[in-house]
Amino acid sequence: MIRLAIATLRRHRGAYAGTFVAALLAVALLAGGGLLLFSVLTAKPPADRFAATSAVVAGERQISLETVTTKHKKEGKTKVKRKVKTERLTGAGTLPADLAGRIAAMPGVTATVADYAFPVQATTGNGRPLRGADDAPVIGHGWASAVLTPYTMKNGNKPGAGEAVIDADLAARGHVAVGDELRVTTRTGARTVRISGIAAPAGRDGLPAQGALFLADADVAAVSGLPGPTAVGIFGTADPAQIRATVRAAAGAADVLTGADRVRADLPGALPDYIGPISIFGFVIGITAFAAIFVLTGTVTLSVRQRLRELALLRAIGATPKQLRRILGLESAVLAAVAALPAAPLGVLFAGVVAARFQTLGAVPAQFEVRANVPVLLLAAAAGILVTFVAARIAGRRAVRIAPTQALVETATAPTGGLVVRVLAALVATAGAVAVLTFVPLDGPFGMGMSFISSALLLCAVAATGPLLVRLLTTIVARPFGLAGLVARAEYRRVSAVAVPLVLMFAINTVMLLNGALSSRLAGQEQVARSAPATAQVAAAGGLPLDAARRLAAVPGVTGAAAQLPTRVIVAQGGKPEDYPAQGLLVTGTDAALDLGVVAGAYTADGFAASAALVRQYNWNVGDLVPLWLPDGQQQQLRLSMVYGRSRGFGDLVLPADLVAAHDPRGLVRTAGLRYTPGTDERIRAEFPGLRLTPTVDAAPPGDASNQQGAWELMVVISLGFTAIAVVNTFAIAATARRREYADLRLIGATTPQLHRLAGAEAVVTVLVGLLLGAAVTGIVVGAFSIAQDGVFRVFVEPLTYATMAGGVAALGLIAGFLPTRLMLRRRALASRV
């Protein structure tokens, strides 16, 4: 049977070219998406700052919550089930100040070093920000912790009071030499330090992903504001495992890390963050997998349908339906296996290009690397082979029931049937889409993902009932097209097979573009509305200490100020911790400088505020006492005092600024809105020369929104490229299968121009049907998403984008429908097949 399948493939290479192309692209997309997700899930920090230690004791780096459920069984037995869920902190918990001394006295320990790690905003004498490679942050330490890596002095001396040592990489990038001065800003304030020396780890100038600045140990507490060390490095003569067991009792609840785990003791802000990229690449593989499976299934089904006369001939010479299904399945599996060979390196190339583009957009850390993995490539190939095989078997279930007598007629048609199964499948998929659009909060963080899922479900419903929908639409659409309309109405199954990829191409990409654009637009509108009361927006390079923000608010003529400290806060529900963007807020003066769109309550300095979406999600009420975990892992019980509506591009929680500054290692004001009288801006510029003062009317929307829209547009490019190739491929398969039909029309007198017009008119009918179905799916999803955002029903959102997508899909469909037929109708090419 396998030899027969291979012989058939060799004999009909041209007929299987379309399926080969579809399988090649599908496996390449699956491989590329799989490699991206695998690489980000297994990404490791680029360097270990504690490489010289035997073990490290670290403060809290994550919040872990345990839930216990008890299930009573028969005979008095009970089953206890425990689940532990964690959420990574954006800051670092601190350890007792005397812990290093207590551990140093333990057997097997020769020395300990307390490490105070904190983010630093440093600028050179000419005001240039100092950053590491790939815009890496600068992390401050005490000089004693230099031995943990270890750093060794290359030039100069260790720091004294008011001095600092920087790593060689930072010195080269900032053109800083020994004796130069740096302006260092932390949450405790801004100060000037003199460079006393330049140090570097062995064999390199600095650590990847972070720059290092070492202060005198006596200055660390005042500069960092830390009550204790963030980690304690341990040196010993005993085995690291033995040291870990020895110090565990003294460490208490803190982690004792050895080996490769030591890197986890670093400050979270000093390590590349892969939480966001996991979601991004998960979404990429979701889009690519759906599109690949959808297109591949349709292509295989169309290719099987084109072989009805051949299958009827095999039936006539005694082949059973079971044998034909096996042949079809084996042919498709062999074809997919051959396609997988070039698809694997193509997938690696695809993953590298996509990762590089996301890095350019800032959505993925610059240190991220795509790593080729053989098991992932094999899984992608296996998935492509399996999908192709299953699609051929399913398509063959009806095709192989064709009557043997149809081998004697010019046009073979498959037996009708399976209507009930198709309708049931469509109803299930539609019900799932309706449930997602109705019950899932689309205005939350998962709104875009849920809109994609609902689009996919509706597309599955369209694919399942494609022949029925196309038959209904062609009855209406095809009437003005004469003979072409009659052919399209008679061959509605062929029109369906070609139109469905057009539906996929239009709906999936238009939904992502329009919903992404709507989210960005609403974020920009809310930013404008929030800042509207302020006269101007103030920002400082790297950030502004809270005390400086208070002095700014006290400048004569300033009548109101709203300073914002961006942070992250963890909230728990049902034992599951979730991380949310938040703001520390300092409000002063008699005039409001920020309008959050208050829904209920009023902001108080000892409570917190939450967005309306978050309040709905957690079923909070004004006055509720809610536990919140701050960036350093400290839990605070705060009372909900206000609910606000304008949270896009701002955050879901608002906390007192002093609380955030005390528990977030950054703790700097990013922006501040000011209300002031005319002429006050000159006083502000004179007193704070490093600030950037921008009138509110000229303030730009938040950068995160534009970055997010860029990420969505890149995903659209990925999807659009594949679906466009799929559309061309499907049209080419359909046109090739009609060679005999066109030859017969030529024999009875049809001219080449007449056949060109016929093919063009049929392509127009197919494109119209595809666009109508795609517009229906798009309208349902975009309309529901729009209502969830702000209660306004929109379908087009951005008419130009909508029209561009519709025009592009129509143009591609017309070219793909007409060009293959034109090439085939060349007299010599057509005659060779008659």
Side-chain angles (χ1 to χ4, degrees):
M1 190 68 72
I2 295 178
R3 287 199 300 269
L4 178 60
I6 294 175
T8 304
L9 291 174
R10 293 177 61 187
R11 190 167 53 253
H12 299 291
R13 290 188 297 270
Y16 290 100
T19 304
F20 177 84
V21 171
L24 172 69
L25 293 174
V27 174
L29 282 180
L30 292 172
L35 287 177
L36 288 171
L37 189 58
F38 167 79
S39 298
V40 77
L41 287 173
T42 57
K44 298 184 183 300
D48 181 6
R49 197 170 59 81
F50 301 94
T53 64
S54 301
V56 183
V57 179
E60 285 188 296
R61 298 296 188 269
Q62 63 184 23
I63 295 298
S64 299
L65 298 179
E66 183 182 45
T67 56
V68 180
T69 56
T70 303
K71 186 177 181 180
H72 296 281
K73 294 187 175 183
K74 296 179 180 179
E75 301 176 358
K77 295 182 179 180
T78 58
K79 182 179 180 181
V80 179
K81 189 175 183 180
R82 300 177 183 273
K83 286 185 179 180
V84 178
K85 296 185 178 180
T86 62
E87 185 67 44
R88 180 182 173 185
L89 292 170
T90 54
T94 56
L95 299 167
D98 65 343
L99 180 61
R102 287 189 280 119
I103 293 176
M106 292 186 169
V109 177
T110 58
T112 59
V113 175
D115 179 34
Y116 292 74
F118 53 97
V120 170
Q121 301 294 335
T123 55
T124 60
N126 58 9
R128 179 183 176 185
L130 195 62
R131 303 287 289 182
D134 299 319
D135 202 35
V138 178
I139 307 299
H141 310 274
W143 174 246
S145 65
V147 300
L148 300 175
T149 306
Y151 280 84
T152 56
M153 194 70 71
K154 293 184 65 176
N155 187 18
N157 302 298
K158 69 178 184 179
E163 295 181 332
V165 169
I166 63 172
D167 68 45
D169 182 66
L170 281 179
R173 292 178 183 279
H175 305 288
V176 176
V178 174
D180 290 347
E181 291 186 342
L182 290 180
R183 185 72 172 170
V184 174
T185 303
T186 66
R187 59 181 175 174
T188 63
R191 50 188 56 80
T192 300
V193 298
R194 188 183 72 85
I195 301 300
S196 66
I198 296 173
R204 48 188 168 181
D205 291 335
L207 295 180
Q210 58 177 292
L213 182 147
F214 298 96
L215 300 173
D217 294 312
D219 291 344
V220 169
V223 177
S224 68
L226 292 170
T230 55
V232 173
I234 303 170
F235 298 86
T237 56
D239 181 79
Q242 184 179 347
I243 293 177
R244 179 179 180 182
T246 301
V247 304
R248 186 180 293 280
D255 290 329
V256 182
L257 307 171
T258 59
D261 290 336
R262 290 172 301 179
V263 72
R264 290 165 42 201
D266 212 342
L267 193 69
L271 301 175
D273 184 8
Y274 289 109
I275 302 300
I278 289 174
S279 301
I280 290 174
F281 291 145
F283 200 83
V284 167
I285 196 171
I287 292 175
T288 55
F290 174 76
I293 293 172
F294 195 92
V295 169
L296 188 54
T297 303
T299 303
V300 172
T301 302
L302 179 61
S303 124
V304 170
R305 188 177 181 278
Q306 309 303 340
R307 300 175 57 193
L308 291 177
R309 295 188 71 253
E310 178 186 338
L311 295 175
L313 181 61
L314 291 173
R315 287 291 311 278
I317 62 175
T320 65
K322 183 177 180 180
Q323 289 174 325
L324 294 182
R325 285 196 298 270
R326 288 181 61 191
I327 290 175
L328 291 173
L330 287 172
E331 288 174 358
S332 299
V334 170
L335 191 67
V338 174
L341 295 176
L346 190 61
V348 176
L349 177 63
F350 165 76
V353 171
V354 171
R357 182 55 184 158
F358 273 122
Q359 286 172 327
T360 303
L361 292 171
V364 174
Q367 297 78 23
F368 174 72
E369 293 182 357
V370 176
R371 295 189 296 117
N373 182 266
V374 174
V376 171
L377 296 176
L378 291 177
L379 284 173
I385 294 170
L386 180 62
V387 171
T388 309
F389 176 79
V390 172
R393 294 279 294 189
I394 293 175
R397 289 186 63 85
R398 186 179 61 193
V400 298
R401 296 199 302 267
I402 186 170
T405 54
Q406 293 215 31
L408 305 176
V409 300
E410 290 296 323
T411 303
T413 57
T416 58
L419 179 61
V420 174
V421 175
R422 284 177 172 272
V423 172
L424 286 176
L427 289 175
V428 170
T430 304
V434 171
V436 169
L437 295 174
T438 304
F439 300 111
V440 176
L442 298 179
D443 59 339
F446 304 110
M448 287 293 291
M450 292 300 103
S451 67
F452 167 72
I453 290 175
S454 58
S455 300
L457 289 170
L458 289 175
L459 284 169
C460 290
V462 169
T465 56
L468 294 177
L469 296 174
V470 168
R471 189 174 189 179
L472 175 64
L473 288 175
T474 52
T475 303
I476 302 170
V477 172
R479 287 187 180 276
F481 293 92
L483 177 60
L486 293 175
V487 173
R489 285 155 62 184
E491 291 290 338
Y492 63 90
R493 291 186 181 276
R494 182 179 65 212
V495 175
S496 171
V498 180
V500 167
L502 286 173
V503 180
L504 171 70
M505 181 180 179
F506 181 75
I508 282 289
N509 299 299
T510 305
V511 165
M512 284 197 294
L513 275 178
L514 296 184
N515 286 354
L518 179 59
S519 297
S520 297
R521 182 200 302 176
L522 293 177
Q525 290 174 353
E526 289 192 4
Q527 168 70 5
V528 171
R530 279 195 304 269
S531 60
T535 309
Q537 300 295 317
V538 176
L544 192 68
L546 191 55
D547 286 345
R550 285 195 171 93
R551 295 199 308 273
L552 176 64
V555 171
V558 175
T559 60
Q564 303 166 30
L565 290 78
T567 187
R568 308 286 298 192
V569 174
I570 293 176
V571 182
Q573 184 179 44
K576 183 180 181 181
E578 292 285 351
D579 174 73
Y580 292 95
Q583 295 283 351
L585 185 61
L586 172 67
V587 178
T588 64
T590 57
D591 294 333
L594 182 70
D595 184 2
L596 291 176
V598 177
V599 176
Y603 182 68
T604 60
D606 58 348
F608 82 101
S611 67
L614 199 65
V615 168
R616 287 196 304 271
Q617 180 179 340
Y618 286 92
N619 296 317
W620 292 336
N621 294 298
V622 172
D624 287 351
L625 199 62
V626 179
L628 305 171
W629 284 266
L630 300 173
D632 61 357
Q634 292 292 314
Q635 187 188 66
Q636 294 284 331
Q637 297 275 346
L638 296 179
R639 197 171 300 278
L640 178 63
S641 62
M642 186 182 81
V643 180
Y644 59 94
R646 295 180 181 136
S647 60
R648 292 182 177 87
F650 179 78
D652 289 298
L653 295 161
V654 174
L655 285 72
D658 289 301
L659 183 64
V660 171
H663 293 278
D664 190 311
R666 294 173 299 275
L668 295 175
V669 173
R670 183 70 57 83
T671 59
L674 297 181
R675 291 271 301 266
Y676 51 75
T677 57
T680 306
D681 54 341
E682 297 300 329
R683 287 194 290 271
I684 293 174
R685 289 189 175 94
E687 188 170 343
F688 297 89
L691 296 185
R692 185 173 67 253
L693 195 65
T694 306
T696 296
V697 293
D698 298 329
D704 290 345
S706 59
N707 289 344
Q708 186 182 51
Q709 179 64 7
W712 286 119
E713 289 175 357
L714 178 56
M715 293 183 193
V716 168
V717 170
I718 296 169
S719 174
L720 199 59
F722 176 65
T723 50
I725 295 173
V727 166
V728 174
N729 187 46
T730 306
F731 270 99
I733 294 174
T736 303
R738 301 181 67 186
R739 192 181 299 272
R740 178 184 292 272
E741 177 185 339
Y742 287 128
D744 291 343
L745 290 173
R746 287 283 296 275
L747 289 174
I748 62 174
T751 63
T752 299
Q754 288 175 329
L755 294 180
H756 286 169
R757 289 194 295 271
L758 177 65
E762 289 182 17
V764 171
V765 173
T766 303
V767 167
L768 287 175
V769 169
L771 286 179
L772 287 173
L773 291 174
V777 173
T778 302
I780 293 170
V781 178
V782 173
F785 183 83
S786 176
I787 292 174
Q789 300 307 302
D790 60 354
V792 178
F793 178 76
R794 306 176 183 87
V795 173
F796 301 107
V797 179
E798 288 190 343
L800 181 60
T801 300
Y802 194 98
T804 301
M805 280 297 302
V809 171
L812 180 66
L814 291 175
I815 293 172
F818 179 72
L819 188 59
T821 302
R822 185 180 182 87
L823 294 175
M824 188 178 60
L825 286 175
R826 291 180 305 174
R827 182 178 301 274
R828 185 176 300 173
L830 189 62
S832 64
R833 295 288 183 177
V834 176

